[in-house]
Amino acid sequence: MAGAAEMRKVEFTWMPGGHEEMMTLNVGPQHPATHGVLRIVVTLDGEVIVGAEPVVGYLHRGKEKMGEALTYHQFIVHCDRLDYLSSNLNDIAYCEAVEKLAGIEVPPRCKYLRVILNELSRIASHLVYVGTGALDIGAATVFFHAWREREKIYDIFDLITGHRMNYGFARIGGLQADFSGEALAAVRAFTEEFDERVDGYEYLLTRNRIWWERNKDIGVIDAPTAVNLGLSGPNLRGSGVARDLRVHEPYAAYEDFDFEIPVGTVGDCFDRYMVRIQEMRQSNRILEQALDKLPGGEIFAEDRRFVLPPKERLLTSHDHQGVYPEKAVMEELIAQFKVITGAGIEPGEVYHAVEASKGELGFYIVSDGSNRAKRMRIRSPSFVNLQALAPMAKGRLLSDLIAVIASLDFVLGEVDR
Amino acid sequence: MTVLVVAALLKVALFIGLAFGVAAYATLAERKIAGWIQNRYGPNRVGPWGLLQPMADGIKLFFKEELLPTGANPFLFKLAPALVTGSALLAVAVIPLGDALTVAGKKIPLVVADMPVGILYLMAVSSLGVYGILLGGWSSNNKYSLLGGLRSAAQVVSYELTMVLAMATVLLFSGTMSTRGIALAQEGLWNVFRFPVGTVAFFLFWIASFAETNRLPFDLVECEPELVGGYHTEYSSMRFALFFLGEYVAMFVQASMLTTLFLGGHTLFGLERIFGNPVLNVLLGAAIFLAKTFFFLFVFIWVRWTLPRVRWDQLMALGWKVLLPLAMVTILAGGGGVIWGIY
């Protein structure tokens, strides 16, 4: 490790005898606190971190390249596997990017349903942060309590999409299906009790002296540095920069909702924790408003390039009495075939970014007119946020590295793509 | 003479059985209580309410392969778990479970060894456990284990001082170093109620006992998220189980010491002699003692599943900058109190 070798030369004046003997500790890729297959080569002086070098790529699957080999529709399921803790967010962001490129406007009901899915995913992802973050600091019970609510969200997703984790529910120009009344009632029930649950986590952590000691003034990153490092999401807002794409570059129906951007002051682990806790409350507010204001109507855009025609409009074979379906037309059948084989989009390029649970998730798509992307690039927040690991951990203790990893809240599926 | 020898052997068997039984069921209690705190069931498959789970775990661990890591020091690697469990078991010898029985004209106290220097002995053997952890961590040839071992040495050294000072305060009150003597000396008033010195000493000892047994919030030695298990990362099979057993026996010892030193041992304001029959009274005393001990065991478990873990430098700071000065003030105040006859 070149970086580590340079760091060995660092002079320490506070301890006599020089420091020829540094210990290189290989944290990961199989390690309980690295949240996946991250490897960090840590150079230790005693237990003080002299250098921490993240090594990524253990989960690289070539998702971007796959995006160039699959049709626009086929790639949706691969977006699930980016940040697998908030899969719906990725799917919807990708579909919105393609819609932007193709110039499709989805109906308001669809936008609202997408907001509901987005915010539920965000809460689920932040719950994982609270749970595993607390588990890394040693509070195992918080993990189970956070998981309880996450399970409820997954049950709701199961009701809506039929899956618990990799949904593939978003469609270009809409959603796979409308929500059932049962699902909407389940979301409503969830929003009603969720604030109280957040109080519960806060009761266990926020005013806990040990939690303070372990998170306050640990992994501090000030606002200019955070911006320079390209941090986004709660990690940026923890440093006091109130930037939230939901507010500043509204997409879906976010301009219709009334919510606040929680920000921290110092930019330490505790601020990032508080930002996420408050974001969960704000997400819950958005959910309540979305349920209250949910418009009726269609969920699919009127665009035959990407949206399948209704089943009764398809000219299929006649029934056993030799009668063809009444409304069926040949054109719709042709449209059906074109949608299935993948529609082309006029040459052009688009960058669409959304506020994902981890930060700015952007899809950059270049189209050359064919039915698949010429170039697909995913700007994943976790990958960029991971840059802050080394500056945050340097000079601190090994235990703080764990707190910093937890507070950065990255997902390796998204880092490596 | 024969009576004494037989009684001693019986007591040894009883106490070792008790220690292992409590340790085994403490693991089950730990998981059950954890489940209760965490909205889940805990073990409930093996036997009614999972009561046979410790046996199942033991059998499983017996049949696991014993691994010796490359580059490990075989002798020390094998010695370390034995040291941990052995020292914890030795400490059981001075637990005064109850009052004395009179058999064939001989008074037999319900403690394996009623030494005049019981407390010194306890401190001596319970400190030995750290050697097991240190050696285990060092001989594993694993950096995580090494860090765990080093942390434990620092931790135990820091907290033993506080512990000894808190114990010394009790010795001032009772004027004896025999654990049984200390228990009997509290028949009138438990040391924890000798406000404020006894109370402060009790809490100091209690906090230090968490560090002494490497329990959360002070379990920096194991610390799964950072050190991946710490000193026992490389251990498998019964060697791992011995570390585990050692930890739980040590918990039992610390809980009984809290009971003995501060909560009057087997006494309960005279209620322990409620029966006319001396045998029944002794049994009742033992039950009272165990009830108090189990309360402390429960608190050990309760705290583990409630609090986060402190960082090792914070632990050191707490030990040296807060607890130790407080303990010194406590012992001075206790000494003054005894001299001027307040206590």
Side-chain angles (χ1 to χ4, degrees):
Chain A
M1 292 293 118
E6 274 166 34
M7 282 155 192
R8 273 164 207 268
K9 292 180 199 147
V10 176
E11 290 288 328
F12 285 88
T13 49
W14 46 272
M15 225 175 184
H19 275 257
E20 304 83 30
E21 294 268 329
M22 295 277 182
M23 187 162 89
T24 305
L25 190 66
N26 201 14
V27 180
Q30 263 78 47
H31 188 279
T34 55
H35 294 202
V37 285
L38 175 67
R39 176 175 163 223
I40 307 166
V41 182
V42 185
T43 314
L44 287 176
D45 173 16
E47 280 212 30
V48 179
I49 295 170
V50 180
E53 201 171 323
V55 182
V56 299
Y58 288 91
L59 201 60
H60 180 70
R61 296 147 296 174
K63 287 289 177 206
E64 292 167 344
K65 194 70 192 164
M66 283 185 208
E68 296 162 18
L70 299 169
T71 65
Y72 290 111
H73 176 78
Q74 283 171 333
F75 188 62
I76 295 173
V77 286
H78 289 274
C79 299
D80 280 324
R81 277 83 176 163
L82 296 174
D83 174 3
Y84 42 79
L85 298 178
S86 50
S87 303
N88 272 320
L89 264 165
N90 313 335
D91 290 357
I92 292 170
Y94 168 73
C95 289
E96 280 171 353
V98 178
E99 284 158 13
K100 213 169 171 182
L101 184 62
I104 303 169
E105 180 69 22
V106 294
R109 184 176 174 84
C110 173
K111 286 183 177 176
Y112 271 68
L113 294 182
R114 282 179 175 184
V115 165
I116 292 176
L117 287 174
N118 275 350
E119 294 313 311
L120 282 174
S121 299
R122 188 183 320 277
I123 292 175
S125 170
H126 284 355
L127 284 174
V128 174
Y129 156 75
V130 172
T132 57
L135 186 66
D136 287 348
I137 308 278
T141 296
V142 183
F143 174 80
F144 283 91
H145 285 211
W147 234 246
R148 177 186 57 200
E149 265 61 61
R150 183 174 176 264
E151 278 304 308
K152 282 182 187 159
I153 294 180
Y154 275 32
D155 286 346
I156 293 173
F157 282 152
D158 194 6
L159 265 179
I160 296 171
T161 69
H163 297 270
R164 283 169 51 79
M165 200 149 169
N166 295 312
Y167 316 100
F169 188 66
R171 291 287 179 273
I172 298 165
L175 289 168
Q176 188 195 23
D178 205 338
F179 288 16
S180 62
E182 193 190 353
L184 286 173
V187 179
R188 174 70 77 186
F190 177 81
T191 59
E192 272 161 12
E193 61 165 29
F194 184 63
D195 267 337
E196 210 175 300
R197 302 298 189 187
V198 180
D199 292 343
Y201 317 135
E202 288 216 70
Y203 180 73
L204 282 169
L205 294 177
T206 305
R207 293 183 59 76
N208 186 320
R209 179 65 191 270
I210 300 176
W211 183 255
W212 274 45
E213 298 269 342
R214 288 301 304 276
N215 283 294
K216 282 253 173 187
D217 296 323
I218 308 290
V220 180
I221 203 115
D222 58 13
T225 320
V227 174
N228 286 344
L229 284 169
L231 298 191
S232 55
N235 294 326
L236 179 66
R237 292 192 282 275
S239 297
V241 184
R243 178 164 171 81
D244 189 325
L245 293 178
R246 288 176 292 176
V247 176
H248 296 112
E249 293 171 22
Y251 54 96
Y254 278 111
E255 62 273 19
D256 296 357
F257 300 110
D258 174 33
F259 63 99
E260 285 151 27
I261 311 174
V263 288
T265 48
V266 193
D268 55 9
C269 293
F270 189 77
D271 276 353
R272 291 189 281 276
Y273 157 77
M274 279 315 287
V275 163
R276 290 199 178 89
I277 285 281
Q278 287 166 25
E279 272 191 27
M280 289 200 283
R281 296 187 191 278
Q282 296 300 330
S283 292
N284 198 35
R285 268 180 73 189
I286 298 176
L287 278 176
E288 279 170 0
Q289 294 172 39
L291 286 174
D292 289 340
K293 296 201 269 183
L294 184 65
E298 287 297 308
I299 57 159
F300 269 108
E302 274 300 319
D303 191 307
R304 280 291 171 269
R305 286 176 299 171
F306 286 99
V307 178
L308 288 172
K311 277 278 180 277
E312 69 272 11
R313 302 266 295 158
L314 296 180
L315 185 68
T316 50
S317 54
H318 54 76
D319 61 13
H320 61 279
Q321 287 166 333
V323 180
Y324 285 98
E326 193 184 339
K327 290 182 191 162
V329 285
M330 189 63 205
E331 283 70 26
E332 295 285 34
L333 186 61
I334 295 168
Q336 159 111 351
F337 275 120
K338 289 183 109 170
V339 171
I340 296 292
T341 51
I345 300 177
E346 282 82 66
E349 60 177 43
V350 71
Y351 177 76
H352 178 69
V354 302
E355 187 67 34
S357 53
K358 313 285 190 291
E360 177 182 338
L361 171 69
F363 285 88
Y364 173 66
I365 303 171
V366 180
S367 162
D368 61 353
S370 71
N371 63 354
R372 51 204 72 189
K374 171 119 174 64
R375 180 77 178 94
M376 168 85 70
R377 161 87 190 140
I378 302 164
R379 192 264 187 215
S380 67
S382 297
F383 178 69
V384 183
N385 288 346
L386 191 54
Q387 286 193 98
L389 181 68
M392 279 179 184
K394 211 166 167 182
R396 308 233 41 124
L397 295 167
L398 183 62
S399 312
D400 294 334
L401 176 71
I402 306 307
V404 165
I405 291 175
S407 83
L408 277 175
D409 185 32
F410 45 78
V411 163
L412 268 295
E414 200 179 46
V415 171
D416 291 342
R417 299 190 292 284
Chain B
M1 191 61 207
T2 327
V3 174
L4 285 181
V5 169
V6 169
L9 285 176
L10 278 178
K11 280 192 294 191
V12 168
L14 170 74
F15 274 76
I16 288 185
L18 183 71
F20 276 139
V22 169
Y25 276 93
T27 63
L28 179 69
E30 174 115 27
R31 292 164 69 181
K32 276 282 182 196
I33 294 169
W36 175 40
I37 292 175
Q38 297 173 345
N39 280 318
R40 53 192 181 85
Y41 292 107
N44 63 357
R45 298 289 101 177
V46 192
W49 304 290
L51 279 177
L52 298 176
Q53 186 70 41
M55 282 59 165
D57 289 342
I59 291 167
K60 184 197 80 175
L61 284 163
F62 259 114
F63 286 104
K64 286 274 175 184
E65 185 186 356
E66 288 200 356
L67 296 170
L68 187 68
T70 322
N73 182 323
F75 175 68
L76 292 179
F77 187 78
K78 289 170 187 168
L79 176 71
L83 268 180
V84 171
T85 312
S87 66
L89 274 181
L90 280 176
V92 174
V94 288
I95 294 178
L97 190 57
D99 212 345
L101 272 175
T102 311
V103 181
K106 298 254 195 303
K107 213 172 176 203
I108 299 167
L110 217 52
V111 48
V112 175
D114 185 18
M115 291 178 243
V117 290
I119 289 292
L120 275 185
Y121 166 84
L122 176 85
M123 286 315 294
V125 295
S126 65
S127 316
L128 274 178
V130 68
Y131 287 101
I133 293 175
L134 192 56
L135 289 177
W138 179 78
S139 66
S140 298
N141 190 30
N142 177 319
K143 288 169 183 173
Y144 291 110
S145 305
L146 179 66
L147 286 175
L150 290 176
R151 281 180 180 188
S152 90
Q155 175 175 331
V156 172
V157 165
S158 317
Y159 278 78
E160 225 145 59
L161 282 170
T162 307
M163 204 163 210
V164 170
L165 289 177
M167 272 184 177
T169 316
V170 171
L171 301 188
L172 290 175
F173 294 149
S174 54
T176 169
M177 270 195 170
S178 138
T179 45
R180 189 174 124 77
I182 292 171
L184 290 174
Q186 296 175 68
E187 263 183 275
L189 181 66
W190 294 357
N191 282 334
V192 65
F193 296 131
R194 288 180 201 270
F195 194 79
V197 174
T199 318
V200 173
F202 166 69
F203 282 109
L204 286 173
F205 190 94
W206 203 357
I207 295 169
S209 70
F210 278 94
E212 183 80 8
T213 50
N214 299 322
R215 295 282 298 181
L216 216 125
F218 302 144
D219 72 334
L220 310 172
V221 181
E222 295 175 35
C223 205
E224 305 91 26
E226 297 159 43
L227 299 183
V228 211
Y231 64 95
H232 63 55
T233 304
E234 297 288 354
Y235 281 89
S236 56
S237 181
M238 272 318 277
R239 286 195 200 118
F240 169 74
L242 280 179
F243 274 128
F244 219 71
L245 210 56
E247 181 186 324
Y248 281 89
V249 174
M251 263 166 71
F252 174 58
V253 171
Q254 293 296 343
S256 0
M257 279 308 125
L258 275 163
T259 309
T260 311
L261 296 175
F262 296 99
L263 250 61
H266 61 274
T267 65
L268 190 72
F269 314 112
L271 274 178
E272 75 277 7
R273 284 191 300 272
I274 201 165
F275 295 121
N277 188 329
V279 178
L280 279 181
N281 277 339
V282 167
L283 286 178
L284 180 67
I288 290 169
F289 182 90
L290 285 178
K292 293 174 187 170
T293 306
F294 289 162
F295 165 73
F296 286 115
L297 280 176
F298 170 74
V299 175
F300 273 126
I301 294 168
W302 180 20
V303 167
R304 171 168 178 191
W305 298 108
T306 308
L307 289 183
R309 173 187 299 116
V310 301
R311 210 170 57 206
W312 72 268
D313 61 319
Q314 291 164 349
L315 176 80
M316 296 296 145
L318 179 70
W320 289 102
K321 292 183 188 163
V322 180
L323 295 187
L324 189 62
L326 201 58
M328 285 176 170
V329 171
T330 311
I331 192 167
L332 281 178
V338 170
I339 288 170
W340 291 308
I342 300 169
Y343 293 122

